[in-house]
Amino acid sequence: MEKLPRYSECFICGRDNPAGTDITFIRTEEGVACEYLAAPKHNGYRGIIHGGIISALLDECVGWAVSLRAGRMCVTGELTIRFRKSLPVSTKVTVKGFCDPEQKTRRLFRGYGHIEDEAGTVYAKAEGRFFPMSEEAQKPVFECLKMADAPEKAVTPADIWGEDCRK
Ligand SMILES: CCCCCCCCCCCC(=O)SCCNC(=O)CCNC(=O)[C@H](O)C(C)(C)COP(=O)(O)OP(=O)(O)OC[C@H]1O[C@@H](n2cnc3c(N)ncnc32)[C@H](O)[C@@H]1OP(=O)(O)O
């Protein structure tokens, strides 16, 4: 399974954001996934991870899944989260994101995801609508993206989507 690129300042995937979650996403057969060890610095109430952190993890994981399908980086237009169970600090969880295979238009992509622990307990579910950036608008993203295992190495659209990626 291939590691996806990272953006150093990003709250979720940035290796240089000390307040963030320091996540590496991987491309899976079904979509995108990452592991997250629930950290005390992400508390809302004591001992429980803040809902905003849970939302941000799902936003980026599902955002990556739809971006891989769309052939462009996408922005989130709408995101609905269902918080099913409080996520205690120190719990190791997996975040999974998917793109809806039934896409009716290339203008808007629907995606969904969830957060689960090793026992299969689901803490939160997400669904959302995502909009592909224009080629021009995504250029600054690629000025900041770096390979996960080589932080000095720049990333091109072809590294993510292949040579046949959408123009
Ligand atoms: C960095 C490294 C890692 C990269 C990792 C990659 C994953 C990144 C994950 C993080 C993503 C983020 O958080 S991004 C940050 C948060 N999001 C944003 O900043 C986006 C801000 N919003 C916008 O830019 C805009 O509102 C857009 C692009 C969403 C839509 O604007 P627009 O293009 O002008 O759309 P518009 O013409 O008004 O509408 C077109 C059609 O879409 C519908 N529509 C419009 N907006 C919405 C909406 N929010 N939700 C549902 N539907 C909508 C309209 O009803 C219409 O339907 P009809 O009438 O045609 O039927």
Side-chain angles (χ1 to χ4, degrees), residues 3-17 20-26 60 64 73 141-151 153-155 160:
K3 288 181 186 173
L4 288 165
R6 303 178 66 178
Y7 167 47
S8 65
E9 295 168 12
C10 178
F11 183 77
I12 296 297
C13 70
R15 47 168 62 81
D16 298 328
N17 188 331
T21 56
D22 195 16
I23 291 290
T24 303
F25 288 99
I26 53 168
E60 188 149 331
W64 260 119
M73 290 298 176
V141 176
F142 282 90
E143 287 165 12
C144 303
L145 279 180
K146 302 288 185 231
M147 291 295 188
D149 288 329
K153 190 162 180 290
V155 177
I160 297 176

PDB file of all heavy atoms in Angstrom, residues 3-17 20-26 60 64 73 141-151 153-155 160:
ATOM      1  N   LYS A   3       2.187   5.077   0.368  1.00  0.00           N
ATOM      2  CA  LYS A   3       2.010   6.262   1.207  1.00  0.00           C
ATOM      3  C   LYS A   3       1.698   7.464   0.324  1.00  0.00           C
ATOM      4  O   LYS A   3       2.349   7.664  -0.710  1.00  0.00           O
ATOM      5  CB  LYS A   3       3.293   6.551   1.989  1.00  0.00           C
ATOM      6  CG  LYS A   3       3.548   5.568   3.107  1.00  0.00           C
ATOM      7  CD  LYS A   3       4.824   5.928   3.844  1.00  0.00           C
ATOM      8  CE  LYS A   3       5.157   4.872   4.869  1.00  0.00           C
ATOM      9  NZ  LYS A   3       6.462   5.083   5.488  1.00  0.00           N
ATOM     10  N   LEU A   4       0.744   8.273   0.742  1.00  0.00           N
ATOM     11  CA  LEU A   4       0.408   9.477  -0.018  1.00  0.00           C
ATOM     12  C   LEU A   4       1.296  10.636   0.426  1.00  0.00           C
ATOM     13  O   LEU A   4       1.841  10.631   1.539  1.00  0.00           O
ATOM     14  CB  LEU A   4      -1.073   9.811   0.189  1.00  0.00           C
ATOM     15  CG  LEU A   4      -1.996   8.824  -0.524  1.00  0.00           C
ATOM     16  CD1 LEU A   4      -3.434   8.943  -0.024  1.00  0.00           C
ATOM     17  CD2 LEU A   4      -1.944   9.030  -2.030  1.00  0.00           C
ATOM     18  N   PRO A   5       1.445  11.658  -0.423  1.00  0.00           N
ATOM     19  CA  PRO A   5       2.313  12.785  -0.064  1.00  0.00           C
ATOM     20  C   PRO A   5       1.788  13.558   1.150  1.00  0.00           C
ATOM     21  O   PRO A   5       0.620  13.441   1.518  1.00  0.00           O
ATOM     22  CB  PRO A   5       2.262  13.671  -1.312  1.00  0.00           C
ATOM     23  CG  PRO A   5       1.764  12.817  -2.410  1.00  0.00           C
ATOM     24  CD  PRO A   5       0.888  11.788  -1.775  1.00  0.00           C
ATOM     25  N   ARG A   6       2.670  14.374   1.726  1.00  0.00           N
ATOM     26  CA  ARG A   6       2.320  15.175   2.902  1.00  0.00           C
ATOM     27  C   ARG A   6       2.665  16.637   2.647  1.00  0.00           C
ATOM     28  O   ARG A   6       3.499  16.942   1.816  1.00  0.00           O
ATOM     29  CB  ARG A   6       3.100  14.667   4.117  1.00  0.00           C
ATOM     30  CG  ARG A   6       2.861  13.209   4.387  1.00  0.00           C
ATOM     31  CD  ARG A   6       3.680  12.706   5.557  1.00  0.00           C
ATOM     32  NE  ARG A   6       3.279  13.322   6.806  1.00  0.00           N
ATOM     33  CZ  ARG A   6       3.813  13.027   7.981  1.00  0.00           C
ATOM     34  NH1 ARG A   6       4.769  12.125   8.073  1.00  0.00           N
ATOM     35  NH2 ARG A   6       3.410  13.640   9.074  1.00  0.00           N
ATOM     36  N   TYR A   7       1.987  17.488   3.396  1.00  0.00           N
ATOM     37  CA  TYR A   7       2.185  18.935   3.275  1.00  0.00           C
ATOM     38  C   TYR A   7       2.630  19.434   4.642  1.00  0.00           C
ATOM     39  O   TYR A   7       1.884  19.311   5.619  1.00  0.00           O
ATOM     40  CB  TYR A   7       0.868  19.572   2.815  1.00  0.00           C
ATOM     41  CG  TYR A   7       0.790  21.059   2.930  1.00  0.00           C
ATOM     42  CD1 TYR A   7       1.811  21.876   2.478  1.00  0.00           C
ATOM     43  CD2 TYR A   7      -0.324  21.667   3.500  1.00  0.00           C
ATOM     44  CE1 TYR A   7       1.733  23.244   2.586  1.00  0.00           C
ATOM     45  CE2 TYR A   7      -0.418  23.035   3.603  1.00  0.00           C
ATOM     46  CZ  TYR A   7       0.611  23.818   3.147  1.00  0.00           C
ATOM     47  OH  TYR A   7       0.530  25.170   3.263  1.00  0.00           O
ATOM     48  N   SER A   8       3.847  19.972   4.742  1.00  0.00           N
ATOM     49  CA  SER A   8       4.496  20.158   6.043  1.00  0.00           C
ATOM     50  C   SER A   8       3.679  20.966   7.057  1.00  0.00           C
ATOM     51  O   SER A   8       3.698  20.675   8.239  1.00  0.00           O
ATOM     52  CB  SER A   8       5.873  20.793   5.851  1.00  0.00           C
ATOM     53  OG  SER A   8       5.727  22.092   5.333  1.00  0.00           O
ATOM     54  N   GLU A   9       2.907  21.971   6.593  1.00  0.00           N
ATOM     55  CA  GLU A   9       2.187  22.825   7.553  1.00  0.00           C
ATOM     56  C   GLU A   9       0.784  22.321   7.865  1.00  0.00           C
ATOM     57  O   GLU A   9       0.109  22.879   8.733  1.00  0.00           O
ATOM     58  CB  GLU A   9       2.076  24.244   6.995  1.00  0.00           C
ATOM     59  CG  GLU A   9       3.412  24.927   6.858  1.00  0.00           C
ATOM     60  CD  GLU A   9       3.320  26.199   6.034  1.00  0.00           C
ATOM     61  OE1 GLU A   9       2.193  26.664   5.775  1.00  0.00           O
ATOM     62  OE2 GLU A   9       4.370  26.719   5.655  1.00  0.00           O
ATOM     63  N   CYS A  10       0.322  21.319   7.165  1.00  0.00           N
ATOM     64  CA  CYS A  10      -1.074  20.869   7.323  1.00  0.00           C
ATOM     65  C   CYS A  10      -1.338  20.407   8.752  1.00  0.00           C
ATOM     66  O   CYS A  10      -0.520  19.706   9.357  1.00  0.00           O
ATOM     67  CB  CYS A  10      -1.357  19.740   6.341  1.00  0.00           C
ATOM     68  SG  CYS A  10      -3.027  19.052   6.485  1.00  0.00           S
ATOM     69  N   PHE A  11      -2.500  20.764   9.282  1.00  0.00           N
ATOM     70  CA  PHE A  11      -2.855  20.350  10.644  1.00  0.00           C
ATOM     71  C   PHE A  11      -2.941  18.829  10.746  1.00  0.00           C
ATOM     72  O   PHE A  11      -2.589  18.247  11.765  1.00  0.00           O
ATOM     73  CB  PHE A  11      -4.200  20.976  11.063  1.00  0.00           C
ATOM     74  CG  PHE A  11      -4.572  20.638  12.464  1.00  0.00           C
ATOM     75  CD1 PHE A  11      -3.966  21.280  13.537  1.00  0.00           C
ATOM     76  CD2 PHE A  11      -5.496  19.647  12.735  1.00  0.00           C
ATOM     77  CE1 PHE A  11      -4.277  20.932  14.842  1.00  0.00           C
ATOM     78  CE2 PHE A  11      -5.818  19.299  14.030  1.00  0.00           C
ATOM     79  CZ  PHE A  11      -5.214  19.950  15.089  1.00  0.00           C
ATOM     80  N   ILE A  12      -3.400  18.182   9.705  1.00  0.00           N
ATOM     81  CA  ILE A  12      -3.567  16.731   9.764  1.00  0.00           C
ATOM     82  C   ILE A  12      -2.318  15.980   9.294  1.00  0.00           C
ATOM     83  O   ILE A  12      -1.814  15.111   9.996  1.00  0.00           O
ATOM     84  CB  ILE A  12      -4.798  16.301   8.925  1.00  0.00           C
ATOM     85  CG1 ILE A  12      -6.074  16.881   9.525  1.00  0.00           C
ATOM     86  CG2 ILE A  12      -4.897  14.770   8.843  1.00  0.00           C
ATOM     87  CD1 ILE A  12      -6.409  16.405  10.926  1.00  0.00           C
ATOM     88  N   CYS A  13      -1.794  16.322   8.105  1.00  0.00           N
ATOM     89  CA  CYS A  13      -0.696  15.508   7.539  1.00  0.00           C
ATOM     90  C   CYS A  13       0.671  16.193   7.619  1.00  0.00           C
ATOM     91  O   CYS A  13       1.636  15.684   7.066  1.00  0.00           O
ATOM     92  CB  CYS A  13      -1.004  15.114   6.103  1.00  0.00           C
ATOM     93  SG  CYS A  13      -0.937  16.490   4.931  1.00  0.00           S
ATOM     94  N   GLY A  14       0.749  17.328   8.337  1.00  0.00           N
ATOM     95  CA  GLY A  14       2.015  18.067   8.379  1.00  0.00           C
ATOM     96  C   GLY A  14       2.990  17.523   9.413  1.00  0.00           C
ATOM     97  O   GLY A  14       2.648  17.363  10.577  1.00  0.00           O
ATOM     98  N   ARG A  15       4.216  17.264   8.969  1.00  0.00           N
ATOM     99  CA  ARG A  15       5.216  16.785   9.918  1.00  0.00           C
ATOM    100  C   ARG A  15       5.794  17.950  10.714  1.00  0.00           C
ATOM    101  O   ARG A  15       6.419  17.743  11.752  1.00  0.00           O
ATOM    102  CB  ARG A  15       6.330  15.988   9.232  1.00  0.00           C
ATOM    103  CG  ARG A  15       6.917  16.616   8.009  1.00  0.00           C
ATOM    104  CD  ARG A  15       8.199  15.928   7.567  1.00  0.00           C
ATOM    105  NE  ARG A  15       8.040  14.533   7.197  1.00  0.00           N
ATOM    106  CZ  ARG A  15       7.598  14.107   6.011  1.00  0.00           C
ATOM    107  NH1 ARG A  15       7.256  14.972   5.077  1.00  0.00           N
ATOM    108  NH2 ARG A  15       7.508  12.828   5.747  1.00  0.00           N
ATOM    109  N   ASP A  16       5.574  19.205  10.259  1.00  0.00           N
ATOM    110  CA  ASP A  16       6.131  20.372  10.963  1.00  0.00           C
ATOM    111  C   ASP A  16       5.049  21.177  11.678  1.00  0.00           C
ATOM    112  O   ASP A  16       5.230  22.357  11.940  1.00  0.00           O
ATOM    113  CB  ASP A  16       6.854  21.284   9.967  1.00  0.00           C
ATOM    114  CG  ASP A  16       8.023  20.572   9.317  1.00  0.00           C
ATOM    115  OD1 ASP A  16       8.635  19.719   9.985  1.00  0.00           O
ATOM    116  OD2 ASP A  16       8.316  20.857   8.142  1.00  0.00           O
ATOM    117  N   ASN A  17       3.930  20.575  11.980  1.00  0.00           N
ATOM    118  CA  ASN A  17       2.868  21.271  12.714  1.00  0.00           C
ATOM    119  C   ASN A  17       2.736  20.605  14.089  1.00  0.00           C
ATOM    120  O   ASN A  17       2.078  19.580  14.225  1.00  0.00           O
ATOM    121  CB  ASN A  17       1.543  21.204  11.946  1.00  0.00           C
ATOM    122  CG  ASN A  17       0.479  22.074  12.571  1.00  0.00           C
ATOM    123  OD1 ASN A  17       0.491  22.296  13.783  1.00  0.00           O
ATOM    124  ND2 ASN A  17      -0.418  22.581  11.761  1.00  0.00           N
ATOM    125  N   GLY A  20      -0.563  19.471  15.419  1.00  0.00           N
ATOM    126  CA  GLY A  20      -1.373  18.628  14.536  1.00  0.00           C
ATOM    127  C   GLY A  20      -1.305  17.144  14.863  1.00  0.00           C
ATOM    128  O   GLY A  20      -0.819  16.721  15.919  1.00  0.00           O
ATOM    129  N   THR A  21      -1.810  16.365  13.897  1.00  0.00           N
ATOM    130  CA  THR A  21      -1.931  14.922  14.145  1.00  0.00           C
ATOM    131  C   THR A  21      -0.802  14.108  13.502  1.00  0.00           C
ATOM    132  O   THR A  21      -0.706  12.909  13.742  1.00  0.00           O
ATOM    133  CB  THR A  21      -3.297  14.394  13.638  1.00  0.00           C
ATOM    134  OG1 THR A  21      -3.430  14.724  12.252  1.00  0.00           O
ATOM    135  CG2 THR A  21      -4.445  15.018  14.410  1.00  0.00           C
ATOM    136  N   ASP A  22       0.017  14.750  12.648  1.00  0.00           N
ATOM    137  CA  ASP A  22       1.228  14.108  12.103  1.00  0.00           C
ATOM    138  C   ASP A  22       0.906  12.787  11.389  1.00  0.00           C
ATOM    139  O   ASP A  22       1.539  11.766  11.620  1.00  0.00           O
ATOM    140  CB  ASP A  22       2.232  13.883  13.252  1.00  0.00           C
ATOM    141  CG  ASP A  22       3.628  13.570  12.742  1.00  0.00           C
ATOM    142  OD1 ASP A  22       3.910  13.813  11.553  1.00  0.00           O
ATOM    143  OD2 ASP A  22       4.447  13.065  13.543  1.00  0.00           O
ATOM    144  N   ILE A  23      -0.094  12.843  10.540  1.00  0.00           N
ATOM    145  CA  ILE A  23      -0.637  11.634   9.904  1.00  0.00           C
ATOM    146  C   ILE A  23       0.028  11.364   8.550  1.00  0.00           C
ATOM    147  O   ILE A  23       0.275  12.282   7.776  1.00  0.00           O
ATOM    148  CB  ILE A  23      -2.156  11.842   9.644  1.00  0.00           C
ATOM    149  CG1 ILE A  23      -2.931  11.871  10.951  1.00  0.00           C
ATOM    150  CG2 ILE A  23      -2.709  10.804   8.678  1.00  0.00           C
ATOM    151  CD1 ILE A  23      -3.039  10.572  11.669  1.00  0.00           C
ATOM    152  N   THR A  24       0.279  10.083   8.277  1.00  0.00           N
ATOM    153  CA  THR A  24       0.612   9.648   6.913  1.00  0.00           C
ATOM    154  C   THR A  24      -0.560   8.826   6.383  1.00  0.00           C
ATOM    155  O   THR A  24      -0.947   7.829   7.001  1.00  0.00           O
ATOM    156  CB  THR A  24       1.885   8.783   6.894  1.00  0.00           C
ATOM    157  OG1 THR A  24       2.957   9.516   7.471  1.00  0.00           O
ATOM    158  CG2 THR A  24       2.256   8.396   5.465  1.00  0.00           C
ATOM    159  N   PHE A  25      -1.125   9.262   5.268  1.00  0.00           N
ATOM    160  CA  PHE A  25      -2.228   8.515   4.651  1.00  0.00           C
ATOM    161  C   PHE A  25      -1.668   7.479   3.687  1.00  0.00           C
ATOM    162  O   PHE A  25      -0.615   7.693   3.074  1.00  0.00           O
ATOM    163  CB  PHE A  25      -3.152   9.457   3.883  1.00  0.00           C
ATOM    164  CG  PHE A  25      -3.983  10.321   4.789  1.00  0.00           C
ATOM    165  CD1 PHE A  25      -3.597  11.626   5.055  1.00  0.00           C
ATOM    166  CD2 PHE A  25      -5.126   9.834   5.388  1.00  0.00           C
ATOM    167  CE1 PHE A  25      -4.352  12.431   5.905  1.00  0.00           C
ATOM    168  CE2 PHE A  25      -5.889  10.623   6.239  1.00  0.00           C
ATOM    169  CZ  PHE A  25      -5.501  11.927   6.500  1.00  0.00           C
ATOM    170  N   ILE A  26      -2.393   6.385   3.564  1.00  0.00           N
ATOM    171  CA  ILE A  26      -2.004   5.385   2.578  1.00  0.00           C
ATOM    172  C   ILE A  26      -3.168   5.129   1.620  1.00  0.00           C
ATOM    173  O   ILE A  26      -4.335   5.201   2.004  1.00  0.00           O
ATOM    174  CB  ILE A  26      -1.551   4.054   3.220  1.00  0.00           C
ATOM    175  CG1 ILE A  26      -2.605   3.531   4.188  1.00  0.00           C
ATOM    176  CG2 ILE A  26      -0.216   4.187   3.895  1.00  0.00           C
ATOM    177  CD1 ILE A  26      -2.348   2.115   4.618  1.00  0.00           C
ATOM    178  N   GLU A  60     -10.047  15.103   5.828  1.00  0.00           N
ATOM    179  CA  GLU A  60      -8.864  14.921   4.976  1.00  0.00           C
ATOM    180  C   GLU A  60      -8.784  13.505   4.398  1.00  0.00           C
ATOM    181  O   GLU A  60      -8.399  13.320   3.236  1.00  0.00           O
ATOM    182  CB  GLU A  60      -7.579  15.265   5.734  1.00  0.00           C
ATOM    183  CG  GLU A  60      -6.389  15.258   4.789  1.00  0.00           C
ATOM    184  CD  GLU A  60      -5.294  16.220   5.171  1.00  0.00           C
ATOM    185  OE1 GLU A  60      -5.594  17.256   5.794  1.00  0.00           O
ATOM    186  OE2 GLU A  60      -4.136  15.924   4.841  1.00  0.00           O
ATOM    187  N   TRP A  64      -8.956  12.943   0.472  1.00  0.00           N
ATOM    188  CA  TRP A  64      -7.944  12.243  -0.321  1.00  0.00           C
ATOM    189  C   TRP A  64      -8.592  11.174  -1.199  1.00  0.00           C
ATOM    190  O   TRP A  64      -8.247  11.013  -2.375  1.00  0.00           O
ATOM    191  CB  TRP A  64      -6.893  11.585   0.577  1.00  0.00           C
ATOM    192  CG  TRP A  64      -5.621  12.345   0.710  1.00  0.00           C
ATOM    193  CD1 TRP A  64      -5.086  12.860   1.858  1.00  0.00           C
ATOM    194  CD2 TRP A  64      -4.690  12.671  -0.339  1.00  0.00           C
ATOM    195  NE1 TRP A  64      -3.895  13.483   1.583  1.00  0.00           N
ATOM    196  CE2 TRP A  64      -3.627  13.377   0.258  1.00  0.00           C
ATOM    197  CE3 TRP A  64      -4.661  12.443  -1.711  1.00  0.00           C
ATOM    198  CZ2 TRP A  64      -2.534  13.861  -0.476  1.00  0.00           C
ATOM    199  CZ3 TRP A  64      -3.577  12.920  -2.450  1.00  0.00           C
ATOM    200  CH2 TRP A  64      -2.536  13.619  -1.825  1.00  0.00           C
ATOM    201  N   MET A  73      -6.997  17.539  -6.873  1.00  0.00           N
ATOM    202  CA  MET A  73      -7.228  17.844  -5.477  1.00  0.00           C
ATOM    203  C   MET A  73      -8.617  18.469  -5.346  1.00  0.00           C
ATOM    204  O   MET A  73      -9.036  19.241  -6.219  1.00  0.00           O
ATOM    205  CB  MET A  73      -6.169  18.817  -4.958  1.00  0.00           C
ATOM    206  CG  MET A  73      -4.803  18.193  -4.847  1.00  0.00           C
ATOM    207  SD  MET A  73      -4.866  16.827  -3.666  1.00  0.00           S
ATOM    208  CE  MET A  73      -3.217  16.196  -3.796  1.00  0.00           C
ATOM    209  N   VAL A 141      -0.888  23.901  -4.297  1.00  0.00           N
ATOM    210  CA  VAL A 141      -0.869  22.693  -3.466  1.00  0.00           C
ATOM    211  C   VAL A 141       0.384  21.890  -3.777  1.00  0.00           C
ATOM    212  O   VAL A 141       1.083  21.406  -2.875  1.00  0.00           O
ATOM    213  CB  VAL A 141      -2.135  21.835  -3.717  1.00  0.00           C
ATOM    214  CG1 VAL A 141      -2.072  20.536  -2.917  1.00  0.00           C
ATOM    215  CG2 VAL A 141      -3.403  22.615  -3.408  1.00  0.00           C
ATOM    216  N   PHE A 142       0.709  21.786  -5.071  1.00  0.00           N
ATOM    217  CA  PHE A 142       1.863  20.978  -5.471  1.00  0.00           C
ATOM    218  C   PHE A 142       3.192  21.662  -5.169  1.00  0.00           C
ATOM    219  O   PHE A 142       4.230  21.016  -5.165  1.00  0.00           O
ATOM    220  CB  PHE A 142       1.735  20.562  -6.943  1.00  0.00           C
ATOM    221  CG  PHE A 142       0.774  19.425  -7.101  1.00  0.00           C
ATOM    222  CD1 PHE A 142      -0.568  19.663  -7.316  1.00  0.00           C
ATOM    223  CD2 PHE A 142       1.195  18.115  -6.944  1.00  0.00           C
ATOM    224  CE1 PHE A 142      -1.473  18.620  -7.412  1.00  0.00           C
ATOM    225  CE2 PHE A 142       0.306  17.058  -7.031  1.00  0.00           C
ATOM    226  CZ  PHE A 142      -1.028  17.307  -7.264  1.00  0.00           C
ATOM    227  N   GLU A 143       3.143  22.970  -4.864  1.00  0.00           N
ATOM    228  CA  GLU A 143       4.375  23.635  -4.423  1.00  0.00           C
ATOM    229  C   GLU A 143       4.716  23.221  -2.994  1.00  0.00           C
ATOM    230  O   GLU A 143       5.834  23.418  -2.535  1.00  0.00           O
ATOM    231  CB  GLU A 143       4.201  25.154  -4.516  1.00  0.00           C
ATOM    232  CG  GLU A 143       4.215  25.651  -5.964  1.00  0.00           C
ATOM    233  CD  GLU A 143       3.689  27.065  -6.103  1.00  0.00           C
ATOM    234  OE1 GLU A 143       3.527  27.758  -5.077  1.00  0.00           O
ATOM    235  OE2 GLU A 143       3.406  27.469  -7.247  1.00  0.00           O
ATOM    236  N   CYS A 144       3.730  22.693  -2.270  1.00  0.00           N
ATOM    237  CA  CYS A 144       3.935  22.361  -0.850  1.00  0.00           C
ATOM    238  C   CYS A 144       3.964  20.868  -0.567  1.00  0.00           C
ATOM    239  O   CYS A 144       4.488  20.445   0.467  1.00  0.00           O
ATOM    240  CB  CYS A 144       2.816  22.966  -0.002  1.00  0.00           C
ATOM    241  SG  CYS A 144       2.667  24.741  -0.181  1.00  0.00           S
ATOM    242  N   LEU A 145       3.400  20.065  -1.453  1.00  0.00           N
ATOM    243  CA  LEU A 145       3.347  18.622  -1.196  1.00  0.00           C
ATOM    244  C   LEU A 145       4.724  17.996  -1.336  1.00  0.00           C
ATOM    245  O   LEU A 145       5.469  18.330  -2.256  1.00  0.00           O
ATOM    246  CB  LEU A 145       2.399  17.941  -2.181  1.00  0.00           C
ATOM    247  CG  LEU A 145       0.909  17.979  -1.900  1.00  0.00           C
ATOM    248  CD1 LEU A 145       0.159  17.251  -3.009  1.00  0.00           C
ATOM    249  CD2 LEU A 145       0.570  17.376  -0.557  1.00  0.00           C
ATOM    250  N   LYS A 146       5.034  17.087  -0.417  1.00  0.00           N
ATOM    251  CA  LYS A 146       6.313  16.362  -0.480  1.00  0.00           C
ATOM    252  C   LYS A 146       6.052  14.867  -0.315  1.00  0.00           C
ATOM    253  O   LYS A 146       5.087  14.464   0.336  1.00  0.00           O
ATOM    254  CB  LYS A 146       7.249  16.818   0.650  1.00  0.00           C
ATOM    255  CG  LYS A 146       7.543  18.311   0.643  1.00  0.00           C
ATOM    256  CD  LYS A 146       8.450  18.716  -0.500  1.00  0.00           C
ATOM    257  CE  LYS A 146       8.824  20.174  -0.432  1.00  0.00           C
ATOM    258  NZ  LYS A 146       8.624  20.944  -1.617  1.00  0.00           N
ATOM    259  N   MET A 147       6.957  14.055  -0.862  1.00  0.00           N
ATOM    260  CA  MET A 147       6.844  12.617  -0.711  1.00  0.00           C
ATOM    261  C   MET A 147       6.920  12.237   0.767  1.00  0.00           C
ATOM    262  O   MET A 147       7.734  12.789   1.515  1.00  0.00           O
ATOM    263  CB  MET A 147       7.972  11.904  -1.462  1.00  0.00           C
ATOM    264  CG  MET A 147       7.872  12.006  -2.976  1.00  0.00           C
ATOM    265  SD  MET A 147       6.386  11.150  -3.544  1.00  0.00           S
ATOM    266  CE  MET A 147       6.650  11.198  -5.313  1.00  0.00           C
ATOM    267  N   ALA A 148       6.101  11.281   1.169  1.00  0.00           N
ATOM    268  CA  ALA A 148       6.039  10.903   2.594  1.00  0.00           C
ATOM    269  C   ALA A 148       7.382  10.391   3.110  1.00  0.00           C
ATOM    270  O   ALA A 148       7.783  10.703   4.225  1.00  0.00           O
ATOM    271  CB  ALA A 148       4.960   9.846   2.792  1.00  0.00           C
ATOM    272  N   ASP A 149       8.095   9.617   2.298  1.00  0.00           N
ATOM    273  CA  ASP A 149       9.370   9.046   2.750  1.00  0.00           C
ATOM    274  C   ASP A 149      10.577   9.865   2.314  1.00  0.00           C
ATOM    275  O   ASP A 149      11.714   9.472   2.579  1.00  0.00           O
ATOM    276  CB  ASP A 149       9.515   7.614   2.219  1.00  0.00           C
ATOM    277  CG  ASP A 149       8.569   6.666   2.938  1.00  0.00           C
ATOM    278  OD1 ASP A 149       8.278   6.922   4.122  1.00  0.00           O
ATOM    279  OD2 ASP A 149       8.122   5.695   2.319  1.00  0.00           O
ATOM    280  N   ALA A 150      10.331  10.978   1.618  1.00  0.00           N
ATOM    281  CA  ALA A 150      11.439  11.827   1.146  1.00  0.00           C
ATOM    282  C   ALA A 150      10.971  13.285   1.192  1.00  0.00           C
ATOM    283  O   ALA A 150      10.554  13.843   0.180  1.00  0.00           O
ATOM    284  CB  ALA A 150      11.845  11.429  -0.267  1.00  0.00           C
ATOM    285  N   PRO A 151      11.000  13.906   2.400  1.00  0.00           N
ATOM    286  CA  PRO A 151      10.419  15.231   2.589  1.00  0.00           C
ATOM    287  C   PRO A 151      11.045  16.312   1.716  1.00  0.00           C
ATOM    288  O   PRO A 151      10.485  17.404   1.581  1.00  0.00           O
ATOM    289  CB  PRO A 151      10.663  15.536   4.063  1.00  0.00           C
ATOM    290  CG  PRO A 151      11.177  14.300   4.687  1.00  0.00           C
ATOM    291  CD  PRO A 151      11.546  13.328   3.613  1.00  0.00           C
ATOM    292  N   LYS A 153      11.616  15.813  -1.478  1.00  0.00           N
ATOM    293  CA  LYS A 153      11.250  15.536  -2.873  1.00  0.00           C
ATOM    294  C   LYS A 153       9.861  16.075  -3.207  1.00  0.00           C
ATOM    295  O   LYS A 153       8.869  15.740  -2.551  1.00  0.00           O
ATOM    296  CB  LYS A 153      11.312  14.027  -3.127  1.00  0.00           C
ATOM    297  CG  LYS A 153      11.194  13.687  -4.594  1.00  0.00           C
ATOM    298  CD  LYS A 153      11.677  12.278  -4.884  1.00  0.00           C
ATOM    299  CE  LYS A 153      11.568  11.934  -6.349  1.00  0.00           C
ATOM    300  NZ  LYS A 153      10.240  11.769  -6.848  1.00  0.00           N
ATOM    301  N   ALA A 154       9.809  16.919  -4.243  1.00  0.00           N
ATOM    302  CA  ALA A 154       8.545  17.510  -4.686  1.00  0.00           C
ATOM    303  C   ALA A 154       7.657  16.442  -5.325  1.00  0.00           C
ATOM    304  O   ALA A 154       8.129  15.375  -5.725  1.00  0.00           O
ATOM    305  CB  ALA A 154       8.820  18.627  -5.673  1.00  0.00           C
ATOM    306  N   VAL A 155       6.383  16.770  -5.431  1.00  0.00           N
ATOM    307  CA  VAL A 155       5.387  15.844  -5.967  1.00  0.00           C
ATOM    308  C   VAL A 155       4.718  16.499  -7.172  1.00  0.00           C
ATOM    309  O   VAL A 155       4.430  17.699  -7.157  1.00  0.00           O
ATOM    310  CB  VAL A 155       4.324  15.534  -4.891  1.00  0.00           C
ATOM    311  CG1 VAL A 155       3.234  14.628  -5.430  1.00  0.00           C
ATOM    312  CG2 VAL A 155       4.979  14.923  -3.661  1.00  0.00           C
ATOM    313  N   ILE A 160       0.753  11.205  -8.462  1.00  0.00           N
ATOM    314  CA  ILE A 160      -0.463  10.777  -7.760  1.00  0.00           C
ATOM    315  C   ILE A 160      -1.410  10.036  -8.698  1.00  0.00           C
ATOM    316  O   ILE A 160      -1.944   8.987  -8.346  1.00  0.00           O
ATOM    317  CB  ILE A 160      -1.172  11.992  -7.137  1.00  0.00           C
ATOM    318  CG1 ILE A 160      -0.259  12.640  -6.090  1.00  0.00           C
ATOM    319  CG2 ILE A 160      -2.516  11.589  -6.517  1.00  0.00           C
ATOM    320  CD1 ILE A 160      -0.807  13.893  -5.469  1.00  0.00           C
TER     321      ILE A 160
END
